[in-house]
């Protein structure tokens, strides 16, 4: 699935350091093309302990985790919505992503100049929010003008577009992001989606700290409080430390993490949180050649899930043999799963659950 999350933030907050650490961590695996697709786009793995748990019972040569695509967007500055700092170009990049990773500086460093003075994460968040809201407001006002003319024909669809655009213009004009305005009908939601508004996208705040702030500090506490108020997620990590970890041999990593009081890299938490932010979940296929995590949207039915492997699987779907990773671990093997009735046969209406292990039957 070609779903992207974009890294945004002010200059000098650690975006590129974080992105480089993400792509370096991903590029290590020879079993999956985690790499930089373009200079500012990379694919990174989503760590999932269930892969190893499955392999402990079903012997397989290769493990292939799920992945997310990350886009590194150059630093936005005050006035970006009016074109400052090549703002229009970068705002265009943000419109193409499905979710936003907002990196916020939560560390002091006299050698790294802050574009707006001292460390103040809430001010920085407000600066970015204002620029994104202003960019969306400009876009929505153009939609109002367009559909005000088209709605004169009494076309129902154009009237819905106009009504949605006018509500959005009023909401954004008050300084609120589009994601905080609710719409109920499918037609309204489709209109909002068509508008490609930046502030309609879900947000994850990434608190970039120094090594002393890995467990949080006074600034991360402020960001976490703000995130809770606006319904967003947060992750705390040190981009500089993550870059160092990504360069270590796997054998040295555990020792390094232990010295820092960590059990896993912050990138692992970031990848999982991004996956969740995008509304994704995982099902698995398992056999002697490979055990693989497949990415689908929550709520997808079995034929749609089969389609991410190959479109022929969806078109010719007959049924799916399904069991959960939890049942596999409890039964210690597929034979016992069958004997205990834990291996189910599901049809086209089955809604796939996170952690399902599936084998599809289909007509070519």
């Amino acid at each position: 699935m070609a779903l992207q999350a974009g890294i945004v933030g002010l200059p000098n907050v650690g975006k590129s350091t974080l992105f480089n650490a993400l792509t370096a961590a991903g590029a290590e695996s020879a079993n999956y093309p985690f790499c930089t697709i373009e200079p500012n786009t990379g694919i990174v793995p989503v760590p999932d302990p269930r892969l190893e748990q499955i392999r402990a019972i079903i012997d397989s040569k290769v493990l292939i985790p799920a992945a997310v695509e990350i886009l590194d967007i150059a630093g936005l500055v005050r006035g970006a919505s009016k074109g400052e700092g090549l703002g229009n170009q970068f705002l265009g990049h943000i419109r193409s992503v499905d979710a936003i990773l907002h990196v916020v500086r939560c560390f002091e460093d006299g050698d790294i100049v802050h574009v707006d003075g001292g460390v103040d994460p809430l001010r920085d968040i407000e600066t970015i929010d204002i620029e994104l809201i202003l960019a969306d407001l400009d876009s929505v006002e153009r939609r109002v003008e367009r559909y005000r003319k088209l709605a004169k024909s009494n076309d129902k669809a154009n009237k819905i577009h106009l009504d949605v655009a006018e509500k959005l213009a009023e909401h954004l004009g008050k300084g609120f992001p589009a994601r905080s305005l609710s719409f109920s009908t499918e037609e309204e939601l489709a209109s909002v989606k068509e508008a490609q508004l930046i502030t309609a996208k879900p947000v994850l705040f990434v608190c970039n700290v120094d090594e002393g702030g890995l467990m949080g500090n006074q600034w991360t506490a402020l960001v976490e409080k703000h995130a809770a108020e606006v319904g967003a997620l947060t992750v705390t990590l040190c981009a500089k430390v993550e870059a160092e970890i990504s360069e270590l041999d796997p054998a040295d990593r555990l020792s390094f993490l232990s010295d820092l009081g960590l059990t896993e890299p912050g990138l692992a938490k970031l990848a999982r949180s991004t996956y969740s932010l995008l509304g994704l979940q995982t099902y698995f296929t398992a056999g002697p050649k490979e055990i693989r995590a497949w990415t689908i949207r929550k709520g997808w039915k079995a034929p749609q899930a089969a389609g991410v492997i190959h479109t022929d699987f969806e078109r010719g779907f007959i049924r799916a043999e399904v069991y959960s990773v939890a049942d596999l671990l409890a039964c210690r093997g597929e034979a016992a799963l069958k004997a205990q009735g834990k291996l189910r046969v599901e049809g086209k209406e089955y809604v796939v659950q996170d952690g399902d292990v599936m084998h599809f039957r289909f007509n070519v």
Side-chain angles (χ1 to χ4, degrees):
M1 294 179 64
L3 294 174
Q4 278 188 334
I7 299 176
V8 304
L10 293 171
N12 298 335
V13 298
K15 298 183 312 302
S16 293
T17 302
L18 176 62
F19 176 78
N20 291 338
L22 281 165
T23 51
E28 316 175 326
S29 174
N31 296 328
Y32 198 84
F34 304 139
C35 59
T36 302
I37 302 171
E38 296 174 2
N40 65 340
T41 307
I43 295 179
V44 295
V46 180
D48 194 327
R50 292 175 295 185
L51 286 164
E52 287 288 0
Q53 291 170 355
I54 295 170
R55 185 157 68 173
I57 298 171
I58 301 174
D59 188 36
S60 187
K61 294 178 181 178
V62 176
L63 297 183
I64 302 179
V68 292
E69 191 170 322
I70 306 293
L71 179 68
D72 181 27
I73 297 163
L76 295 170
V77 296
R78 198 179 300 276
S81 60
K82 303 300 179 185
E84 292 295 328
L86 298 178
N88 289 336
Q89 176 184 343
F90 300 129
L91 288 169
H93 289 159
I94 300 172
R95 290 194 190 282
S96 71
V97 303
D98 301 283
I100 293 173
L101 309 182
H102 186 162
V103 180
V104 186
R105 179 168 168 173
C106 294
F107 65 90
E108 287 274 20
D109 189 330
D111 295 329
I112 303 177
V113 177
H114 193 294
V115 293
D116 284 334
V119 178
D120 186 341
L122 296 187
R123 177 203 59 207
D124 295 352
I125 289 171
E126 182 181 34
T127 297
I128 298 295
D129 282 351
I130 287 172
E131 294 305 323
L132 300 185
I133 287 170
L134 288 173
D136 276 351
L137 180 59
D138 181 62
S139 175
V140 165
E141 286 176 340
R142 290 198 301 271
R143 283 179 69 83
V144 169
E145 291 178 14
R146 176 187 173 193
Y147 284 108
R148 191 166 283 159
K149 295 175 183 176
L150 294 173
K152 291 178 181 179
S153 67
N154 290 322
D155 179 78
K156 180 182 176 183
N158 289 330
K159 286 184 175 180
I160 291 173
H161 285 307
L162 175 61
D163 183 53
V164 168
E166 287 178 337
K167 288 178 181 177
L168 283 166
E170 181 182 3
H171 190 71
L172 292 162
K174 293 178 181 178
F176 300 117
R179 75 181 69 88
S180 64
L181 182 61
S182 298
F183 291 96
S184 55
T185 70
E186 289 186 11
E187 292 84 358
E188 288 175 330
L189 293 171
S191 182
V192 174
K193 184 176 181 180
E194 181 190 290
Q196 287 191 304
L197 300 179
I198 303 167
T199 64
K201 304 177 190 299
V203 177
L204 169 67
F205 291 108
V206 183
C207 300
N208 187 19
V209 299
D210 56 21
E211 191 172 318
L214 287 170
M215 302 304 167
N217 56 32
Q218 69 269 36
W219 294 304
T220 63
L222 292 173
V223 177
E224 288 168 0
K225 183 175 183 292
H226 173 75
E229 291 170 352
V230 299
L233 302 174
T234 63
V235 168
T236 296
L237 52 74
C238 174
K240 185 178 178 181
V241 165
E242 297 301 322
E244 293 174 5
I245 292 172
S246 68
E247 294 176 358
L248 292 174
D249 292 330
D252 297 327
R253 249 180 229 171
L254 288 177
S255 175
F256 186 75
L257 288 168
S258 179
D259 290 343
L260 294 171
L262 302 174
T263 57
E264 65 176 356
L267 296 185
K269 293 186 291 183
L270 178 60
R272 284 196 296 269
S273 295
T274 302
Y275 201 68
S276 175
L277 188 69
L278 289 166
L280 305 176
Q281 66 180 29
T282 300
Y283 79 86
F284 303 93
T285 53
K289 290 185 178 180
E290 68 176 35
I291 297 170
R292 182 165 185 158
W294 297 91
T295 300
I296 61 171
R297 286 197 178 278
K298 294 176 182 176
W300 275 19
K301 295 181 180 180
Q304 291 174 288
V308 303
I309 300 177
H310 197 288
T311 53
D312 286 348
F313 284 28
E314 181 172 6
R315 283 196 297 265
F317 180 89
I318 301 173
R319 63 181 183 276
E321 297 171 359
V322 185
Y323 57 85
S324 69
V325 173
D327 284 340
L328 176 67
L329 298 178
C331 295
R332 307 302 299 172
E334 291 182 309
L337 280 167
K338 293 178 182 177
Q340 296 182 32
K342 299 292 186 180
L343 193 154
R344 312 182 310 277
V345 175
E346 301 287 358
K348 293 182 178 181
E349 296 303 310
Y350 176 68
V351 177
V352 179
Q353 302 299 305
D354 186 66
D356 278 348
V357 182
M358 308 188 74
H359 179 72
F360 297 105
R361 302 290 185 184
F362 64 99
N363 287 319
V364 178

